[in-house]
């Protein structure tokens, strides 16, 4: 297993992982899968300021990715960021998510980030498109719920709530 920085050439595989979540779940609130070109631009733009990591299995196949991005677009928030993770649905339960997030947090801490935020869709009632698994994963990783928005995401002809979770990884001096 290897964790490395993403490169634009990873876009087709990362998009294949992401497409599952767009098309089959309410984990992503996007309705349509972006093009490879758009996804490549997303990777390139993220890498200008933030880490974007991929995890490859023993055979060199990418099984997941995690990255950070802007939390709020003002200078006062420069030590805070939003984090995102996606793991190939066939690779869940192998510890890849934990390994990716630990590596991402280490990189963010080295870059001077202190506050990490995760924006997570949560079901009003669990259904075939969304469970509380992401919330539970983040809790397991040390995140605490700091905000909840009700019926703010609409996908698959139903409403979903959204929560913000926070993890502090450094000292505020």
């Amino acid at each position: 297993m290897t964790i490395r920085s993403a490169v634009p050439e990873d876009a087709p595989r990362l998009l294949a992982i992401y497409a599952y979540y767009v098309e089959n779940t309410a984990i992503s609130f996007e309705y349509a899968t972006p093009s490879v070109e758009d996804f490549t631009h997303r990777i390139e733009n993220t890498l200008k300021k933030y880490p974007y990591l991929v995890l490859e299995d023993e055979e060199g196949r990418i099984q997941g990715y995690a990255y950070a991005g802007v939390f709020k677009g003002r200078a006062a928030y420069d030590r805070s960021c939003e984090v995102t993770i996606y793991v190939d649905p066939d690779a869940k339960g192998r510890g890849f998510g934990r390994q990716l997030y630990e590596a991402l947090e280490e990189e963010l801490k080295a870059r001077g980030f202190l506050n990490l935020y995760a924006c997570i869709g949560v079901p009003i009632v669990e259904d075939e498109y969304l469970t509380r698994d992401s919330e539970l994963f983040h809790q397991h990783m040390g995140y605490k719920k700091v905000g909840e928005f009700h019926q703010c995401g609409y996908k698959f002809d139903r409403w979903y709530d959204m929560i913000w979770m926070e993890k502090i990884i450094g000292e505020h001096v």
Side-chain angles (χ1 to χ4, degrees):
M1 189 272 312
T2 303
I3 295 177
R4 62 168 174 80
S5 182
V7 294
E9 294 76 22
D10 293 325
R13 173 64 181 141
L14 301 185
L15 182 57
I17 293 169
Y18 183 61
Y20 170 83
Y21 293 97
V22 172
E23 297 165 9
N24 300 292
T25 78
I27 290 170
S28 168
F29 280 168
E30 282 198 78
Y31 282 12
T33 302
S35 69
V36 172
E37 181 180 74
D38 287 342
F39 208 78
T40 301
H41 290 307
R42 290 181 187 188
I43 294 168
E44 291 168 338
N45 287 333
T46 298
L47 287 169
K48 290 176 183 175
K49 182 174 179 181
Y50 301 97
Y52 200 127
L53 304 178
V54 299
L55 182 145
E56 296 175 328
D57 64 16
E58 311 77 40
E59 286 122 32
R61 181 166 172 79
I62 295 173
Q63 296 293 341
Y65 63 96
Y67 61 91
V70 67
F71 170 62
K72 294 289 284 175
R74 301 285 187 267
Y77 300 108
D78 281 351
R79 290 176 185 81
S80 300
C81 63
E82 184 178 349
V83 294
T84 303
I85 186 168
Y86 289 97
V87 174
D88 186 304
D90 294 329
K92 287 185 176 180
R94 296 174 57 187
F96 292 156
R98 169 178 279 287
Q99 292 172 58
L100 270 168
Y101 251 21
E102 286 174 350
L104 183 65
E105 288 175 11
E106 186 177 303
E107 178 66 25
L108 288 167
K109 191 170 188 173
R111 293 185 187 200
F113 290 93
L114 302 173
N115 295 32
L116 309 184
Y117 295 96
C119 178
I120 301 167
V122 294
I124 298 165
V125 175
E126 288 192 16
D127 61 28
E128 67 272 28
Y129 303 113
L130 191 61
T131 66
R132 293 199 170 269
D133 288 353
S134 185
E135 177 183 12
L136 296 173
F137 168 77
H138 283 83
Q139 283 177 355
H140 187 69
M141 294 299 299
Y143 287 73
K144 307 283 186 225
K145 185 164 72 169
V146 293
E148 185 167 0
F149 299 85
H150 303 280
Q151 297 180 339
C152 64
Y154 187 77
K155 190 171 179 181
F156 302 121
D157 296 321
R158 60 195 75 181
W159 289 102
Y160 293 99
D161 292 349
M162 187 268 297
I163 61 171
W164 278 100
M165 297 186 79
E166 174 185 61
K167 183 174 182 179
I168 307 299
I169 60 169
E171 289 186 45
H172 295 77
V173 293

